[in-house]
Amino acid sequence: FMATVLIVDDEPDTREILAALLERDGREIVTAADGRQAMERLRDIRDPCLIVLDLRMPRMNGGNFCSANRRISFCPASDYQPEQGTI
């Protein structure tokens, strides 16, 4: 059994960097560009061990994804904005 991580972010570079870091531990990595695509991906993933989710995305944002997905029981959030230096 291989642990699966779902990475959801509208920035391709962010998805790529996170995937490279997390797959070093032998995890299967699945990516999505927004919440809607992530919902589609979850149909094929039995139980991801982790979902790394951007909050600000087009089509379906991270908050809406969490609300729409009953499989997620815990959804911690960070809204780091480097241009403002705030979390």
Side-chain angles (χ1 to χ4, degrees), residues 24-65:
R24 288 181 184 174
D25 290 334
R27 292 178 173 84
E28 177 183 1
I29 306 298
V30 176
T31 63
D34 59 47
R36 284 189 193 165
Q37 191 176 51
M39 294 293 280
E40 294 170 11
R41 299 284 194 268
L42 280 176
R43 291 183 195 137
D44 299 324
I45 301 171
R46 182 174 180 173
D47 286 311
C49 68
L50 176 67
I51 299 174
V52 180
L53 181 66
D54 186 7
L55 292 178
R56 297 177 187 205
M57 297 178 288
R59 295 195 328 150
M60 179 185 271
N61 66 35
N64 291 339
F65 172 83

Side-chain angles (χ1 to χ4, degrees), residues 1-85:
F1 169 71
M2 181 182 290
T4 302
V5 175
L6 174 60
I7 299 171
V8 188
D9 198 297
D10 59 318
E11 295 291 331
D13 290 342
T14 301
R15 288 193 310 268
E16 185 178 319
I17 290 167
L18 288 171
L21 290 170
L22 292 169
E23 69 187 0
R24 288 181 184 174
D25 290 334
R27 292 178 173 84
E28 177 183 1
I29 306 298
V30 176
T31 63
D34 59 47
R36 284 189 193 165
Q37 191 176 51
M39 294 293 280
E40 294 170 11
R41 299 284 194 268
L42 280 176
R43 291 183 195 137
D44 299 324
I45 301 171
R46 182 174 180 173
D47 286 311
C49 68
L50 176 67
I51 299 174
V52 180
L53 181 66
D54 186 7
L55 292 178
R56 297 177 187 205
M57 297 178 288
R59 295 195 328 150
M60 179 185 271
N61 66 35
N64 291 339
F65 172 83
C66 287
S67 296
N69 192 329
R70 297 171 198 248
R71 290 170 58 185
I72 298 175
S73 59
F74 179 65
C75 194
S78 171
D79 190 18
Y80 178 65
Q81 297 176 22
E83 65 278 358
Q84 296 178 4

